[in-house]
Amino acid sequence: MISNQVLQSLIEGMGNITRTQLCVVDMQGKVVASTMEDAESLSASAISFAQSQADSQTMQGCQYFKVFDEELLEYVVIARGEKEDVYTVGRLAAFQIANLLVAYRERYDRDGFIKNLLLDNLLLVDIINRSKKLHIAEDVRRIVFVIETKNEKDTNAMDILRGLYAGRAKDFITTVDAKNIILVRELKPSESYPEMTQVARTILDTVNTEAMTQVHVAYGTIVHHIKDVSRSYKEAKMALDVGKIFYSERDVVAYNNLGIGRLIYQLPIPLCKMFLREVFEGHESEEFDEETITTINKFFDNSLNVSEASRQLYIHRNTLVYRLEKVEKATNLDIRQFDDAITFKIAMMVSKYMKYLEENPF
Amino acid sequence: MRIQLEHLHKTAVDGSSFIRDLNLEIEEKEFVALVGPRGCGKSTVLRVIAGLEQIQSGAISIDDRRVESLEPKDRHVSMIFSNSTLMPDMTVQENMAFRLKQRKIPKEECLFMVREAAELLGITHLLKKKPRALSPLETQKVILGRAVAGKPRVLLLDDPYAALDEKLKLEMHFVVSLLFQQMDTTIVYSTNDPMTAMALGTKIVVMDAGHVVQKDEPMAIYEQPGTLFAAELFGQPPINVWDAKVIREDGQICLSVGKYALPLPTKTAKLLEAKGYLEKEVIAAIRPENIEDEEIVLETMQMWQVSAQVLVRQMLGAVAYLELRIGEMTMVASVNPRTAASPGQKIKVVLDLRKILLFDKQSRTIVTK
């Protein structure tokens, strides 16, 4: 599980400090890291040492040491020289590699555990047992962020997130599919939703700045037990979806701030169709041109105030009234009236949702 | 580097516009400040230039090369946002080199570029430090240094210092201005704050509702705004605005100011007559510093004298603000702090009509230009 690069860096470091030549051979006899020029010639003797009962051995001017990972022999470390201090260095190198194996195993175990936790692949009893084994606290507040990248398997974005959270050992960064990076973040006692919005913005801005890649960030609700982390993940995923449909202008979407979009997203499709038929009576909302849609949105943004909306649209008041009357003609809804405005607004959102479903069939 | 935006159009999924038919030319080594209210499309313009947002139609060129289809990382553009931060476990040097390494630039070259940027910003002594050891000002300098380390052709700043306290904000504005003088980079800076735009930009672009209202040099926009919107955006205290009428009185073309009819300067009067504004209603605007109460001005500009009652006097050290009641109207004057005017007192003031701005009542565009 440890890359050869890490092993090479380790023995180079130790070799430089102790002025000892070192070499690491795996169980296939392949030299995986070395500071010796003739390392390949030692692989046969390393294999024969591996098959012996000894923990360490001196042969042909070199000392050999075994490295175990949970009682399974993984590597042979070779240190050149027969003196006592070379023996100490060899033992140290073997010990260091054995510890690295444990650390790496744990890291990958933790990653696997978080993946399974997010995907609901674990029984409650397994969640409790494995979190204890991996030293992951159960009763702490956590929140899940989903970071959707524009490009699949965006390693730059992943590197940046790892860089941002490298110092936070209690947070987890993982992936369960090609486009989404997941951050499970432990909250400090003083932190709550406003701080999480700030965290999301920081992620967004830093990934934008450093990776120059487009991302969307969504987050779920704060959960108080590790068993609920998957709930926060599902909420974040839903927030991402709802954001895409109804709030495309937002780069950060919070599950607890989805507004009316949350309700519409959960409506059954036949009900949506029935509602649209009833409101538009055969007219489709897409029939409105861009100018009309901009007009309507500006009118809504200005709380149905004709004067202010017309001012912001740089059109005469009468032009706005004319456009609104055109909408009334088409839909039978006078959106200058509050009730009709609400019906129209919801109908537009339902229509948007239906369009999204057509374009993205499950 | 020269940036050209032609007929840009970007709409939301619901069909409403973020930016519409936006045209803008940014010349090489220009420092352009985009300014306008929240939601007017400033950030969208920056993100579109960076490639972080796609457009529905239009053309984006950097140095006459179309870039719409280029990935953001291939546009040689750097961007800083208000929440940009440093990676806590990396040293300043590693932070500054991070993006360069991702661009597969050789290690030695990376180091050289980082050192160069650090020297430019005077942060060489911080290179080995971790972000937690930096002061807020140093952190902002490092973030800026990281953005310029790769010598970007264009530097985009999306209101990066809006959330900082006033002192720090001011210091960073000086740093950015200095950096602009020392680098051959085109800078585009978006801000909600007109004062920031005035302070930083060599050119200001006023935006509203997704399109460009005016682009000009800071003083030109301040003194000759193209629209009432631009006039009201700049200036502290805000410009005084009232409904007025252009009338002819005793053979002179005058402007109504409450019960007063003040003669307009000949040039302005001729312009208004030629444009057909005689006997028509207009929107008049005058900046507070163009209302004066000094004796010498009162004597030399008697024709523009009006009576006013002082409602409030605010002393700000370098200037004093007087809130005045002129007839039915309330106006604010920015006067010499040694003024004798005090609340409740009736005084004479001069409205310097050489500086008056008149706007069409319907289109709200300037008519005195």
Side-chain angles (χ1 to χ4, degrees), chain A residues 156 160 163-164 167 198 201-202 205-206 208-210 212-214 248-249 251 290 293 297 314 316 352, chain B residues 9 13-18 47 52 72 77 79 81 83-85 88-89 98-99 102 146 208 211 362:
Chain A
N156 284 356
I160 288 159
L164 271 177
Q198 192 55 36
R201 293 229 69 90
T202 301
D205 284 359
T206 309
N208 275 169
T209 307
E210 284 295 88
M212 287 302 277
T213 184
Q214 201 177 347
S248 61
E249 71 286 1
D251 291 320
E290 194 202 311
I293 290 170
N297 285 329
Y314 296 97
H316 193 272
K352 223 189 284 182
Chain B
H9 209 95
V13 281
D14 63 0
S16 60
S17 306
F18 289 126
R47 294 174 69 85
L52 295 171
V77 165
M79 192 159 175
F81 302 82
N83 294 293
S84 294
T85 188
D89 273 39
F98 185 82
R99 194 170 159 201
Q102 285 186 327
R146 182 176 67 177
D208 188 30
H211 73 275
Q362 290 302 323

Side-chain angles (χ1 to χ4, degrees), chain B residues 119-133:
Chain B
E119 273 166 27
L120 204 60
L121 285 155
I123 51 170
T124 317
H125 62 292
L126 304 175
L127 287 176
K128 299 288 172 208
K129 287 191 179 179
K130 290 270 178 82
R132 71 179 73 88

Side-chain angles (χ1 to χ4, degrees), chain B residues 171-241:
Chain B
E171 282 182 280
M172 279 316 293
H173 287 168
F174 282 124
V175 173
V176 172
S177 293
L178 202 63
L179 188 77
F180 172 67
Q181 289 165 27
Q182 292 170 328
M183 283 187 77
D184 283 328
T185 301
T186 304
I187 299 183
V188 190
Y189 191 112
S190 93
T191 177
N192 297 323
D193 177 21
M195 302 312 280
T196 301
M198 290 278 274
L200 291 176
T202 55
K203 286 277 168 62
I204 290 180
V205 173
V206 180
M207 285 189 67
D208 188 30
H211 73 275
V212 173
V213 175
Q214 191 176 0
K215 182 191 171 195
D216 216 327
E217 286 172 7
M219 272 320 278
I221 286 199
Y222 185 75
E223 288 175 348
Q224 285 293 308
T227 60
L228 180 61
F229 174 79
E232 288 182 306
L233 198 61
F234 296 95
Q236 194 56 42
I239 195 165
N240 298 292
V241 178

Side-chain angles (χ1 to χ4, degrees), chain B residues 37-152:
Chain B
R38 202 171 287 279
C40 71
K42 306 179 296 286
S43 295
T44 309
V45 170
L46 292 195
R47 294 174 69 85
V48 160
I49 295 173
L52 295 171
E53 301 262 0
Q54 302 305 309
I55 47 168
Q56 265 75 39
S57 61
I60 309 162
S61 312
I62 298 179
D63 264 357
D64 298 322
R65 185 183 171 208
R66 294 282 292 266
V67 296
E68 301 97 87
S69 55
L70 286 185
E71 282 290 310
K73 62 181 170 53
D74 299 325
R75 297 189 186 192
H76 298 287
V77 165
S78 240
M79 192 159 175
I80 305 180
F81 302 82
S82 54
N83 294 293
S84 294
T85 188
L86 298 171
M87 318 241 188
D89 273 39
M90 291 184 192
T91 62
V92 166
Q93 182 166 301
E94 287 164 344
N95 264 290
M96 287 173 74
F98 185 82
R99 194 170 159 201
L100 304 174
K101 278 185 186 161
Q102 285 186 327
R103 277 166 49 194
K104 310 267 186 262
I105 293 173
K107 199 176 170 185
E108 288 304 313
E109 208 175 323
C110 273
L111 274 176
F112 178 76
M113 285 174 151
V114 166
R115 286 219 148 257
E116 210 176 21
E119 273 166 27
L120 204 60
L121 285 155
I123 51 170
T124 317
H125 62 292
L126 304 175
L127 287 176
K128 299 288 172 208
K129 287 191 179 179
K130 290 270 178 82
R132 71 179 73 88
L134 305 179
S135 70
L137 179 64
E138 288 170 340
T139 305
Q140 292 303 328
K141 282 186 179 180
V142 174
I143 290 172
L144 188 59
R146 182 176 67 177
V148 299
K151 287 197 175 164

